Amino acid sequence: MPDRVTIAPQRLGGVVETIPFADRLSLIPDLFGQLDTAIAQAGFFYVGPQTALYRVTGDQMEVRVGVALDRALPGFEMFEAPGSDALLHTHRGGFDQLPQIYQTLDAAVTEQGLQRGTWAREVYRQVARDATLNVIDIYMDVL
C-alpha cells in the first residue's frame, strides 16, 4: 500500500518539453540526455537526485526533468516542482516495472476515495547499470 505524504515545493533547473503522450517512451530518454549534457557543461561532477514531473493533457504530456539548483545556470530552464499531497511508492528495480506501479497507484487513489492531482513525479535516488540496484520514489499527486 502506498504511503500518503506531503511534498514541499522545490525550484529545479533542467529541461521542460511537451511531447505526444503516445511517443513518451521513445522521447523521454532524450530529455534526460539533454539534462545530462547541461550538467556536464556546467561542470558538475555530481548533482542530484534527478526529478521528473509528468502532466498529461489530452494527447500531450508535459515533462519536466531537473535537479535542484541554487541559481539559474546556462543550459538549464528553471521551473517549479509544486508542493502537493501525494501517494508514494518506493521502487527498487528496473524501469520496466514502472507501468505496473502507476496502475497500483491509480487503484490506491480510487480505493482511498481520493482524486488524482496534477502531476506524477519520479525522484531517482539511485540508478545503476544493474537495474536491481535502482531506487526510485514514485509519487502521484492527490486531492
Side-chain angles (χ1 to χ4, degrees), residues 3-12 49 51-54 80-89 102 105 117-123 125 137-143:
D3 296 318
R4 187 162 180 179
V5 298
T6 299
I7 302 169
Q10 189 176 24
R11 185 120 171 102
L12 302 175
T51 298
L53 291 95
Y54 304 102
E80 296 298 321
S84 72
D85 287 334
L87 295 182
L88 164 64
H89 175 92
Y102 279 104
L105 288 169
T118 303
W119 296 97
R121 58 187 93 202
E122 298 169 3
V123 178
R125 302 279 177 208
D137 290 337
I138 303 155
Y139 299 87
M140 183 173 289
D141 290 3
V142 295
L143 306 173

Side-chain angles (χ1 to χ4, degrees), residues 91 93-103 122 124 136 138:
H91 170 64
F95 292 104
D96 59 329
Q97 299 166 5
L98 295 180
Q100 295 89 344
I101 293 167
Y102 279 104
Q103 290 173 353
E122 298 169 3
Y124 306 96
I136 307 164
I138 303 155

Side-chain angles (χ1 to χ4, degrees), residues 61-109:
M61 174 184 266
E62 180 181 344
V63 182
R64 300 177 181 185
V65 296
V67 293
L69 294 177
D70 65 348
R71 67 184 188 280
L73 293 171
F76 293 88
E77 182 173 344
M78 300 304 290
F79 61 88
E80 296 298 321
S84 72
D85 287 334
L87 295 182
L88 164 64
H89 175 92
T90 298
H91 170 64
R92 288 166 169 65
F95 292 104
D96 59 329
Q97 299 166 5
L98 295 180
Q100 295 89 344
I101 293 167
Y102 279 104
Q103 290 173 353
T104 299
L105 288 169
D106 270 330
V109 167

Side-chain angles (χ1 to χ4, degrees), residues 16-29 31 54-55 57 59-63:
V16 177
E17 292 286 339
T18 299
I19 60 175
F21 181 76
D23 297 332
R24 69 195 181 283
L25 297 178
S26 63
L27 296 176
I28 288 174
L31 301 178
Y54 304 102
R55 172 172 57 186
T57 305
D59 62 351
Q60 299 292 306
M61 174 184 266
E62 180 181 344
V63 182

